[in-house]
Amino acid sequence: MNWKETLKVDRQSKALDKKILMLYNQNMSEKDILKDTGVNELYINESEVFCFIDEWTKKSLFGIKTNRLASRLAKNNDFVKSVTKKGHDLKITTQNGEIEVSKLSKVFPILKKINGNEIETSKRDRKCESSITVAMLLKSDCKVVTGYNCGFSDKTKYVHSWVEFELQCKEYVVDYTLNALVNKEGFYDLNKVEVLSVIPYSQLKEDAEMIKKMNIVVQTREYLLDRDGMFKKLGIENENGAEL
């Protein structure tokens, strides 16, 4: 798919999700929502878990309010079996397994340097392209992954980018827009991930140096989704003189 087509998918998904949410808030049954919208599966429960994590990782959410949200989530969401909170760590046990979350800004305080500590506020929303900056700051054997994350159904999906790395034989996801460090298995299940592209840290570093040296302007989304195609279109060659 052409990278620009992903913008169209985002817009279509947003319109369908808006309709699904409206019907859900009208207390329409799941069966009727499926019939009315033409989707096959609803991910309302997963979305509620995602929203809870999003609220929990904000600086403004403390103590009793967090406990109330966690209690309400475990009580009202059939998908969730239990919610355990300890300090800056969270474990959500669902029907599909465990989602282990740590507040990213506490694990990697260096990330607070991005845009004046916006990572602990709503200002971080829709800034997944900051994953490139995150990877460069972490300076580890990581990779930036771009793919589709689900909306309220199997037919609604949105382009998103995040960072992945492995530590002690366990894989983790660093999601800047969520201010969260999440076990990869839990993240992928919660968001019904469909991977579109992967760029390793070594390549990011090399590309950043080349882009700066050549003083060229690139579309970040295009780079994340179609790096090779973008460079080929620009006619940029690698060190061996072969066109990328």
Side-chain angles (χ1 to χ4, degrees):
M1 176 185 293
N2 183 289
W3 71 275
K4 290 184 179 180
E5 285 296 309
T6 63
L7 298 173
K8 183 178 180 181
V9 173
D10 279 3
R11 288 194 296 269
Q12 292 173 338
S13 294
K14 188 175 181 179
L16 182 53
D17 269 345
K18 185 177 181 180
K19 181 177 182 180
I20 292 171
L21 186 60
M22 178 189 70
L23 296 175
Y24 178 77
N25 287 334
Q26 292 175 355
N27 295 317
M28 181 178 283
S29 69
E30 179 174 332
K31 181 179 179 180
D32 287 339
I33 293 176
L34 295 177
K35 182 178 179 180
D36 192 89
T37 60
V39 304
N40 300 308
E41 289 185 84
L42 292 179
Y43 300 137
I44 301 294
N45 288 332
E46 287 87 343
S47 295
E48 287 182 346
V49 173
F50 181 89
C51 288
F52 168 71
I53 296 172
D54 182 53
E55 284 299 312
W56 178 73
T57 56
K58 290 175 182 172
K59 189 176 182 180
S60 60
L61 193 64
F62 290 104
I64 191 168
K65 187 175 180 181
T66 305
N67 293 334
R68 285 174 178 171
L69 281 172
S71 177
R72 187 176 67 186
L73 180 69
K75 182 178 180 180
N76 299 333
N77 192 316
D78 294 334
F79 176 66
V80 176
K81 292 184 177 181
S82 66
V83 180
T84 305
K85 182 175 69 71
K86 184 177 181 181
H88 302 299
D89 298 323
L90 184 72
K91 180 182 288 186
I92 303 174
T93 303
T94 73
Q95 293 177 356
N96 297 339
E98 293 184 342
I99 304 169
E100 300 168 355
V101 186
S102 295
K103 289 187 179 181
L104 188 57
S105 55
K106 300 300 180 183
V107 180
F108 298 112
I110 191 174
L111 299 183
K112 291 183 180 182
K113 293 183 178 181
I114 302 177
N115 297 328
N117 196 28
E118 70 176 11
I119 193 172
E120 293 186 332
T121 73
S122 296
K123 292 181 180 180
R124 71 194 186 208
D125 295 351
R126 296 182 296 279
K127 292 186 178 179
C128 64
E129 292 167 352
S130 291
S131 294
I132 294 176
T133 306
V134 171
M136 299 301 283
L137 284 174
L138 294 181
K139 297 180 180 179
S140 62
D141 186 20
C142 62
K143 55 190 176 184
V144 173
V145 181
T146 300
Y148 285 125
N149 282 9
C150 72
F152 293 143
S153 77
D154 62 312
K155 291 190 178 181
T156 52
K157 53 188 180 181
Y158 303 87
V159 172
H160 187 49
S161 295
W162 58 91
V163 177
E164 294 183 11
F165 69 93
E166 185 175 319
L167 180 65
Q168 297 179 348
C169 298
K170 187 170 182 177
E171 294 181 291
Y172 294 92
V173 165
V174 172
D175 190 334
Y176 176 81
T177 64
L178 201 58
N179 187 23
L181 175 69
V182 191
N183 62 313
K184 180 178 177 179
E185 184 177 359
F187 182 88
Y188 271 55
D189 179 70
L190 180 66
N191 294 289
K192 315 304 178 191
V193 170
E194 178 186 339
V195 174
L196 297 174
S197 73
V198 178
I199 306 177
Y201 169 74
S202 58
Q203 190 67 69
L204 284 170
K205 185 178 179 182
E206 181 181 319
D207 290 345
E209 292 172 351
M210 177 178 61
I211 289 170
K212 182 178 181 180
K213 182 179 179 181
M214 299 186 68
N215 193 29
I216 58 176
V217 178
V218 301
Q219 289 276 358
T220 306
R221 176 174 279 208
E222 180 180 12
Y223 171 76
L224 289 170
L225 284 166
D226 187 21
R227 173 196 173 274
D228 293 347
M230 183 194 76
F231 282 136
K232 184 176 181 180
K233 183 175 65 176
L234 291 171
I236 296 175
E237 299 179 344
N238 62 22
E239 294 179 355
N240 297 320
E243 190 174 72
L244 288 169

